[in-house]
Amino acid sequence: MSIHNIPLVTIQGQTANTSDYEGKVLIIVNIASKCGFTPQYDGLEALYKKYHAQGLEILGFPSNQFGGQEPGDNTEVESFCQINYGVSFPLFTKTDVKGSNAHPLYKALIQTAPFQGFNMDNEAGARFQGMFEQGMPQELTTDDVKWNFTKFLVDRQGQVVRRYESYETPASMTDDIEKLL
């Protein structure tokens, strides 16, 4: 299933569409300004600078669905990203990325790349598993995005190639990105 032709709204309120990115390799990521993973902006921006000219686009979607970690409005989010991390990749309006009100793009992403569990061989993955077992066991039974900075890698044809959970760093995506470019 291609993710092309899904309406979007930029963080500045302009109409856009996933088809605007046809022919590009995409990283689609839900972002937050007050999360322990917020420093991943640095890694995302580094990937963007390194591979943008070769056809990589990163699409950032702020969401306040995980611990209230994106409380600002769109203007505040954009300012935070630019001032603190020099983010130059496209950002979109605050978005629900899970549940019945999830944006159609995120519904398509999780349908195509369902939750596969946390990597128990990874220390952070094991911590996430424990956190969810303790406080949110019902979340482990859904395919929804689990936390901020979940990343989806999409090929040039609009096909989701892989889902990376929050604790997986942008740098860990490098080999997969290079194969698609």
Side-chain angles (χ1 to χ4, degrees), residues 19-89:
S19 62
D20 298 339
Y21 302 98
E22 281 188 58
K24 303 284 186 175
V25 173
L26 304 176
I27 296 172
I28 300 171
V29 55
N30 62 302
I31 56 177
S33 301
K34 298 187 182 298
C35 177
F37 295 112
T38 299
Q40 285 191 20
Y41 278 125
D42 281 332
L44 291 165
E45 183 63 20
L47 289 175
Y48 191 66
K49 286 181 177 174
K50 183 173 183 178
Y51 296 114
H52 182 252
Q54 296 174 50
L56 177 70
E57 287 288 349
I58 298 176
L59 311 181
F61 291 85
S63 180
N64 197 39
Q65 290 187 284
F66 306 97
Q69 296 179 344
E70 189 53 88
D73 64 23
N74 288 324
T75 302
E76 292 168 325
V77 170
E78 182 178 33
S79 178
F80 173 86
C81 290
Q82 289 175 348
I83 291 169
N84 294 290
Y85 293 97
V87 168
S88 59
F89 54 83

Side-chain angles (χ1 to χ4, degrees), residues 66-131:
F66 306 97
Q69 296 179 344
E70 189 53 88
D73 64 23
N74 288 324
T75 302
E76 292 168 325
V77 170
E78 182 178 33
S79 178
F80 173 86
C81 290
Q82 289 175 348
I83 291 169
N84 294 290
Y85 293 97
V87 168
S88 59
F89 54 83
L91 300 176
F92 296 85
T93 191
K94 280 180 76 169
T95 304
D96 281 354
V97 299
K98 71 174 197 161
S100 60
N101 293 326
H103 189 282
L105 173 59
Y106 272 86
K107 286 181 180 180
L109 291 170
I110 65 170
Q111 180 182 2
T112 308
F115 179 62
Q116 299 293 314
F118 298 118
N119 179 355
M120 298 303 288
D121 294 331
N122 179 299
E123 183 180 331
R127 278 197 316 268
F128 254 63
Q129 181 71 29
M131 177 180 82

